[in-house]
Amino acid sequence: MKKVIRWLLGFIAVLILIVAAMVGSIDRTPLHEQQFYNDMMGKLDTIRIDDHGSGELRSGWKRVNITPSMPMPMAGYIPRDHFDIVHDSLFARVLVIENASFRCAMVNVDLLIFPPLLRDKIVEKLNDNTFLYLSATHTHNGVGGWDPSIGGRLITGKFSEEYVEGIADKIVAAIKGITTLTSSIQYYEAEATDMMENRVDVDSGKVDGKIRGIMLERVDRTSALLFILSAHATSLKSEMLELSADYPGKIMRNLQSFTFPMFMSGMVGSTRFQFSPLQNYEFIDTVSKKVWTHLEKNYKVDSIKHAPVIRSAHIPIEFGPSQLRIDKNFKLNNWAFRILFRKLKGELTYLEIGDIVFIGTPCDFSSEIYVMDSLESYAAKYNKHLIITSFNGDYDGYITYDKHYEVSSKEEINALNWVGPYYGEYFSDMIKKVVAK
């Protein structure tokens, strides 16, 4: 009996030591004193944005069905190990924009994020110089099973390499098979702030509610609209076991003014539609009709361009150690985070078409940063329209406005912040440096 007790005490002691080693204190070293920040700012001083000239603009598009034909878990909200029915099919949409020296594929998937593994497989299978600009609709009732990490399996369900391979094959076939035609492009904008609220700070938090995007018209009179909105796609109850692309899918199915409508998640990090007593598909129907009205009637466009200068870059981001917060002053240590997920990594994806600048981020980026740091007016000083999207093929948690870090108990400020304090300012500084180049 004494041996058993000693063994149990020893086991408990080892367990306590392991748990203690997994937990550390939040690092609140001021941002400008952090090595990763200064390294990144120095890199941005010298980084090159590739210039692809201003030849004839061409475009083409295609969508492919990515609804699984086999039982699959669902990603978003609480873990759900299966879906019962398909309410509406899930798609990947591909928009190719090119000139004589450059080809870009803008790809969006009806998934929670754009999975890193899916991105990697597309790059491998494409095996060419196609520039990828990626995003997702961020539906919380899409398919899971696309993340092989320990944490990924806990959050998105049992990993299915077969499903990821299948989606990658479809997207690559679409990119390679799209035929482009001579096109014109216009910056497109509509105001929808009346529909939005800040879910971190409902009473006084700021939101950017604009719909931004591009409108393409080809010589055969077909047209495409790529539009970005910053409302979270969380319209359906977490208990529902129905696959759905949420409100973005509804809008794209019913938007008749364009041959090819395509949505990308904007700055969804702290933005949602205003509260409504309506729920589920009734709510989706209502907000979709309001968005259609803005898209089709209350919009404005910039001048038509036929041969805009195109510039692009994939800009790797420097990160400090991860700081997945477990309490006000404590975090999961970096080594434990890497075991659960992976090393923090990501990029800013930069695509400039004429005076339109797209910047893709590896996170839930907050529109409150866009407003409070005046990023729209900052870009305007350089005669640029700035469009920021989320989920560009890596994922590093939520990047929200910094003032909330010490005072808010919201989930996205705590459990879903994987990087620690000051990253709102960090991302804002990076974006400004890139826009100014």
Side-chain angles (χ1 to χ4, degrees):
M1 179 61 71
K2 289 182 179 179
K3 288 183 178 180
V4 172
I5 292 173
R6 282 199 298 269
W7 183 87
L8 283 173
L9 290 174
F11 175 77
I12 292 170
V14 170
L15 191 62
I16 290 172
L17 288 173
I18 292 173
V19 171
M22 292 175 66
V23 177
S25 299
I26 296 290
D27 183 0
R28 290 183 169 85
T29 301
L31 179 64
H32 293 255
E33 297 177 17
Q34 299 257 18
Q35 187 66 46
F36 72 86
Y37 175 85
N38 290 297
D39 287 347
M40 189 68 198
M41 294 302 109
K43 179 195 298 185
L44 290 175
D45 285 335
T46 59
I47 201 162
R48 177 188 172 193
I49 305 295
D50 294 328
D51 192 321
H52 308 289
S54 58
E56 175 188 86
L57 189 73
R58 299 174 65 89
S59 67
W61 45 77
K62 190 172 185 179
R63 74 171 191 175
V64 292
N65 196 313
I66 61 170
T67 311
S69 58
M70 53 189 173
M72 291 282 293
M74 300 177 69
Y77 301 123
I78 58 176
R80 291 165 289 175
D81 63 359
H82 72 285
F83 62 88
D84 286 338
I85 64 170
V86 177
H87 178 272
D88 52 280
S89 294
L90 308 179
F91 291 92
R93 291 171 175 83
V94 181
L95 173 62
V96 168
I97 297 174
E98 64 181 4
N99 63 20
S101 60
F102 175 76
R103 182 176 173 89
C104 169
M106 305 185 79
V107 185
N108 188 70
V109 289
D110 288 338
L111 296 174
L112 183 67
I113 65 172
F114 202 104
L117 181 61
L118 176 60
R119 183 268 323 274
D120 293 344
K121 288 187 177 295
I122 291 171
V123 170
E124 177 187 345
K125 292 171 185 287
L126 265 178
N127 193 29
D128 63 18
N129 294 323
T130 300
F131 183 88
L132 294 176
Y133 190 100
L134 310 174
S135 187
T137 51
H138 199 43
T139 174
H140 283 54
N141 268 55
V143 176
W146 32 256
D147 190 332
S149 69
I150 296 172
R153 291 171 190 259
L154 292 172
I155 295 170
T156 73
K158 183 180 179 182
F159 173 62
S160 172
E161 187 166 5
E162 178 185 357
Y163 181 65
V164 177
E165 287 277 359
I167 300 175
D169 286 338
K170 289 181 178 182
I171 292 173
V172 169
I175 294 172
K176 291 184 174 181
I178 287 173
T179 299
T180 61
L181 296 175
T182 302
S183 306
S184 63
I185 188 170
Q186 292 176 278
Y187 173 74
Y188 180 101
E189 183 178 292
E191 184 61 74
T193 303
D194 61 315
M195 301 176 62
M196 308 294 183
E197 67 183 14
N198 187 312
R199 69 184 205 167
V200 175
D201 183 359
V202 177
D203 294 329
S204 59
K206 302 299 183 182
V207 297
D208 178 272
K210 284 185 179 179
I211 302 167
R212 296 180 178 86
I214 52 174
M215 185 167 62
L216 294 153
E217 186 168 344
R218 305 199 303 181
V219 291
D220 64 352
R221 309 294 292 178
T222 57
S223 61
L225 176 69
L226 169 59
F227 66 101
I228 283 83
L229 183 62
S230 294
H232 249 79
T234 51
S235 308
L236 303 173
K237 288 185 176 179
S238 59
E239 299 84 9
M240 295 180 70
L241 300 178
E242 301 181 12
L243 284 188
S244 172
D246 207 287
Y247 80 84
K250 179 75 172 182
I251 293 170
M252 287 183 284
R253 287 194 305 274
N254 292 276
L255 190 58
Q256 302 298 318
S257 302
F258 302 91
T259 312
F260 184 76
M262 178 173 168
F263 173 92
M264 284 186 170
S265 286
M267 301 169 285
V268 297
S270 57
T271 312
R272 67 185 178 194
F273 288 120
Q274 290 178 359
F275 171 78
S276 168
L278 303 177
Q279 294 184 347
N280 301 320
Y281 299 112
E282 188 177 8
F283 175 78
I284 289 174
D285 289 344
T286 300
V287 296
S288 297
K289 288 176 183 176
K290 291 181 180 179
V291 175
W292 294 334
T293 299
H294 290 303
L295 286 172
E296 295 185 327
K297 296 180 180 180
N298 301 329
Y299 67 90
K300 61 181 181 180
V301 292
D302 209 343
S303 59
I304 296 174
K305 297 174 179 62
H306 297 278
V309 171
I310 299 179
R311 303 168 73 221
S312 69
H314 292 292
I315 305 171
I317 298 171
E318 298 286 338
F319 285 92
S322 63
Q323 300 204 72
L324 196 163
R325 203 174 187 182
I326 55 179
D327 188 53
K328 179 176 177 60
N329 295 308
F330 295 99
K331 65 178 181 180
L332 187 68
N333 272 333
N334 194 46
W335 68 266
F337 179 89
R338 290 191 185 189
I339 290 174
L340 277 178
F341 297 101
R342 57 182 174 79
K343 179 182 178 180
L344 289 176
K345 63 185 290 288
E347 68 171 29
L348 296 180
T349 313
Y350 183 91
L351 177 63
E352 181 179 336
I353 309 172
D355 58 0
I356 305 163
V357 172
F358 287 91
I359 296 182
T361 62
C363 57
D364 285 77
F365 185 82
S366 170
S367 75
E368 190 171 10
I369 300 170
Y370 192 91
V371 174
M372 297 302 293
D373 289 353
S374 304
L375 296 182
E376 182 173 50
S377 59
Y378 183 85
K381 291 194 304 183
Y382 296 91
N383 299 312
K384 296 177 181 179
H385 299 291
L386 176 60
I387 302 173
I388 298 178
T389 58
S390 298
F391 317 118
N392 68 352
D394 279 300
Y395 189 69
D396 300 297
Y398 274 65
I399 304 296
T400 52
Y401 191 53
D402 290 332
K403 78 167 188 178
H404 302 299
Y405 191 82
E406 303 296 349
V407 298
S408 176
S409 61
K410 295 287 186 178
E411 184 181 36
E412 51 261 63
I413 307 299
N414 292 280
L416 297 177
N417 180 322
W418 295 357
V419 292
Y422 316 129
Y423 267 75
E425 181 183 354
Y426 180 40
F427 268 68
S428 180
D429 286 354
M430 285 191 289
I431 289 167
K432 287 178 178 178
K433 280 240 180 190
V434 174
V435 167
K437 294 194 76 69

